[in-house]
Amino acid sequence: MTPPPRQDAYWETPGALHASDPLTPSQCWALATTQSVGRLGFFREGLLDIFPVNFFVLDERMYFRTRADGVIATSHLEHAAFQIDHTDATTQSGWTILVNGPAARVDDPDTLTILWGKAAEEPWAPGLRDLFFELTAVQVRGRRLRTAR
């Protein structure tokens, strides 16, 4: 019986007509700043939840706003993941970034002043979203996908 592949092995094995190139953490952060919507993943009540959220990057940290009484704010986020993708169906290319680390409520008044002063997209979700969270990266990895030449 063949042992199961390493978890990261799938990142290294693109389809026959496609190629996959790793991104450095610096490249990942640069690409992340070009997007405003990603997906936050975390465990809640024994299940994996994934929520789309508006975000922005500041000093290699990810910030997003949520409701104080919402699922995200009332969950344990010490083991969170954040994924950002960009795809181009015409060229069958794109990239994906995965950031792992804890997400915590931002309480520092000086940091909050900076965050509220940042020009960023309003959250798409309805309701008052006035609670900032910061995801601190423990691991940043990504891949650029393209057609093979």
Side-chain angles (χ1 to χ4, degrees):
M1 186 167 165
T2 306
R6 282 189 10 249
Q7 179 179 354
D8 289 342
Y10 292 107
W11 286 80
E12 305 296 334
T13 55
L17 300 177
H18 293 86
S20 174
D21 304 306
L23 296 169
T24 66
S26 295
Q27 290 170 317
C28 290
W29 286 117
L31 289 169
T33 64
T34 69
Q35 303 298 307
S36 64
V37 178
R39 289 171 304 285
L40 176 69
F42 56 94
F43 284 99
R44 181 175 66 97
E45 298 174 3
L47 299 172
L48 178 62
D49 276 346
I50 301 173
F51 285 80
V53 296
N54 294 85
F55 77 98
F56 62 87
V57 173
L58 184 63
D59 297 329
E60 295 189 354
R61 291 173 188 255
M62 309 191 83
Y63 293 92
F64 58 91
R65 289 173 21 206
T66 191
R67 290 182 10 205
D69 63 345
V71 171
I72 293 172
T74 59
S75 295
H76 299 285
L77 303 175
E78 54 272 346
H79 300 288
F82 201 93
Q83 185 175 23
I84 310 148
D85 298 311
H86 174 73
T87 61
D88 183 332
T90 304
T91 62
Q92 296 184 0
S93 64
W95 50 262
T96 185
I97 296 167
L98 184 62
V99 179
N100 294 96
R105 179 181 181 152
V106 177
D107 291 319
D108 178 64
D110 293 335
T111 303
L112 286 169
T113 299
I114 292 167
L115 297 178
W116 281 111
K118 175 120 172 74
E121 250 184 64
E122 279 294 308
W124 293 359
L128 181 62
R129 308 224 170 243
D130 60 353
L131 180 62
F132 272 102
F133 271 77
E134 171 186 289
L135 188 137
T136 303
V138 172
Q139 182 180 48
V140 179
R141 57 192 166 143
R143 308 289 303 170
R144 187 178 308 275
L145 308 168
R146 58 182 168 73
T147 53
R149 295 185 180 125

